[in-house]
Amino acid sequence: MERRAVAEARRVVVKVGSSSLTTAAGGLDADRVDALVDVLATHAARPDREIVLVSSGAIAAGLAPLGLTKRPRDLARQQAAASVGQGLLVARYTASFARYGRRVGQVLLTSDDTSRRAHYRNAYRTLDQLLTMGAVPVVNENDTVATDEIRFGDNDRLAALVAHLVRADLLVLLSDVDGLYDGNPATPGTRRIGEVRGPSELEGIDIGSAGSAGVGTGGMVTKVEAAGIAAGAGIPVVLTSAVHAADALAGRGTGTYFHPTGRRAAGRLLWLAHASAPTGALTLDDGAVRAVVDRRTSLLPAGIAGVEGEFSAGDPVELRDSEGRAVARGLVNFDARELPRLLGRSTHELARELGPAYEREVVHRDDLVVLRP
């Protein structure tokens, strides 16, 4: 089965997992890295194709050099392993791509870089310029500084958001499994699902959990979620194993192909819906819920009944109905300490009393994503 949209894709984001690059004990497998680069460099050499690589493996690569036998659970040691491993990972890619006369550029991102306008523009310009100059961007989460509050959560999700950020025509997710199966791939009788045309086709399928290598954070669940994010943003996705990377990029019928199901949206809205960790919550009255959810309007102070958490202007917050159910998320325009005196009051009243700076939305509709219809 030929996949024309795949074969004709000009800008492609390829994500590879830790288990496809490292040994089970930790440490980079040079042969695996070289095999992947052989494929990517060949496709990057085409005049009609650009490759962005989202690569896991930094923490896994740092385990053995630090004397760790398995991935640590605490954040401090994860960050230490990432600090050591990231240099090793990029050095390996630099040497491997150099065999083809290709330069690589390291790009480390946190979730702020896909949510805040200035960061978003800067990240796009950097990646776009690297591609224009013939370099291959190697993207990873900035694990050495990212905290739980500003993490993407996994590199599958990061890859989906990067695909949207760089306006990619295709996302390829590579792992140690050659596609999505209708059960455990190790169980006789299970079959690989060749195509997914929408979320409804995944109902009742046992997606499973972590991969077999034990050095990554993802699994089939995170890959299917990432595929859904990208497909929902209008980007086709191929999910397959790293050994089938060449077939995947050529548009041959390997792995599982996720058809686009939606249109492109603002990058920060994708992040809000799929990767943000709200730092607080606003409880809305019934009228405000209807305005935000049904009419897609901005949230004004008059419609807020309560404030929870400690947050600053620009942070993501959850918007809840009177029963505590999350109905939306948005980037708030006020600090938590400012809001209590604004609740239930009109913007005109606030402007007269406190000044024109207060005649604005608490959450603007352009910075808001509805979580349920």
Side-chain angles (χ1 to χ4, degrees):
M1 179 180 61
E2 293 290 335
R3 298 164 177 166
R4 180 172 296 180
V6 175
E8 295 178 352
R10 176 179 174 271
R11 181 167 287 185
V12 182
V13 172
V14 178
K15 185 269 177 180
V16 62
S18 299
S19 60
S20 300
L21 300 173
T22 59
T23 64
L28 290 173
D29 186 323
D31 291 338
R32 288 185 172 191
V33 174
D34 286 348
L36 174 65
V37 170
D38 288 344
V39 174
L40 299 183
T42 298
H43 279 269
R46 285 174 37 178
D48 60 341
R49 177 156 281 183
E50 299 170 329
I51 299 291
V52 176
L53 176 60
V54 177
S55 178
S56 299
I59 293 177
L63 298 182
L66 290 176
L68 300 171
T69 58
K70 61 182 180 180
R71 183 187 178 95
R73 293 187 177 183
D74 61 288
L75 182 59
R77 287 196 299 168
Q78 288 179 16
Q79 290 174 325
S83 179
V84 172
Q86 189 64 45
L88 297 172
L89 182 65
V90 173
R92 182 63 251 173
Y93 278 128
T94 299
S96 192
F97 274 104
R99 296 177 298 138
Y100 293 88
R102 281 277 176 179
R103 297 181 179 86
V104 303
Q106 177 178 249
V107 180
L108 301 178
L109 299 175
T110 66
S111 62
D112 271 359
D113 299 316
T114 60
S115 63
R116 299 185 186 273
R117 285 186 178 89
H119 292 211
Y120 185 89
R121 289 195 299 268
N122 289 339
Y124 170 76
R125 281 197 294 262
T126 298
L127 289 163
D128 188 62
Q129 190 62 50
L130 283 169
L131 293 169
T132 299
M133 299 177 75
V136 177
V138 177
V139 182
N140 198 353
E141 181 163 16
N142 195 348
D143 289 306
T144 60
V145 300
T147 62
D148 289 339
E149 289 75 18
I150 60 170
R151 294 180 68 88
F152 289 98
D154 60 75
N155 271 358
D156 296 312
R157 192 179 302 266
L158 170 61
L161 296 174
V162 168
H164 188 277
L165 169 67
V166 300
R167 303 165 191 172
D169 304 304
L170 172 68
L171 171 62
V172 178
L173 299 172
L174 302 176
S175 71
D176 53 358
V177 182
D178 67 343
L180 174 64
Y181 282 74
D182 60 3
N184 187 336
T187 302
T190 56
R191 66 178 182 86
R192 177 171 58 85
I193 299 170
E195 293 182 87
V196 175
R197 296 185 179 276
S200 62
E201 296 188 6
L202 299 177
E203 295 177 1
I205 294 176
D206 181 12
I207 296 175
S209 55
S212 60
V215 294
T217 60
M220 192 53 66
V221 171
T222 65
K223 290 167 181 56
V224 171
E225 289 175 350
I229 293 170
I235 303 169
V237 182
V238 177
L239 168 60
T240 190
S241 63
V243 297
H244 295 307
D247 287 337
L249 288 166
R252 292 187 280 270
T254 186
T256 302
Y257 179 64
F258 292 80
H259 291 262
T261 59
R263 298 179 179 179
R264 294 181 185 268
R268 65 184 179 282
L269 299 185
L270 281 184
W271 173 81
L272 275 172
H274 301 291
S276 66
T279 56
L282 306 178
T283 299
L284 281 55
D285 63 29
D286 293 343
V289 170
R290 289 192 296 271
V292 167
V293 174
D294 298 333
R295 300 199 300 274
R296 299 299 200 269
T297 65
S298 300
L299 175 63
L300 301 176
I304 303 174
V307 180
E308 295 180 26
E310 295 292 333
F311 50 83
S312 300
D315 286 344
V317 297
E318 194 169 74
L319 309 186
R320 299 173 180 170
D321 63 17
S322 58
E323 296 183 6
R325 295 173 298 192
V327 297
R329 287 181 187 171
L331 300 179
V332 67
N333 288 324
F334 294 90
D335 295 347
R337 58 181 174 78
E338 292 182 278
L339 282 175
R341 62 174 175 166
L342 312 183
L343 303 190
R345 304 173 67 182
S346 73
T347 53
H348 296 305
E349 177 187 353
L350 292 171
R352 286 196 304 270
E353 180 180 331
L354 302 174
Y358 287 85
E359 193 172 11
R360 68 184 193 275
E361 306 86 352
V362 175
V363 179
H364 193 277
R365 63 184 180 184
D366 290 344
D367 294 324
L368 186 151
V369 59
V370 173
L371 299 181
R372 66 176 179 85

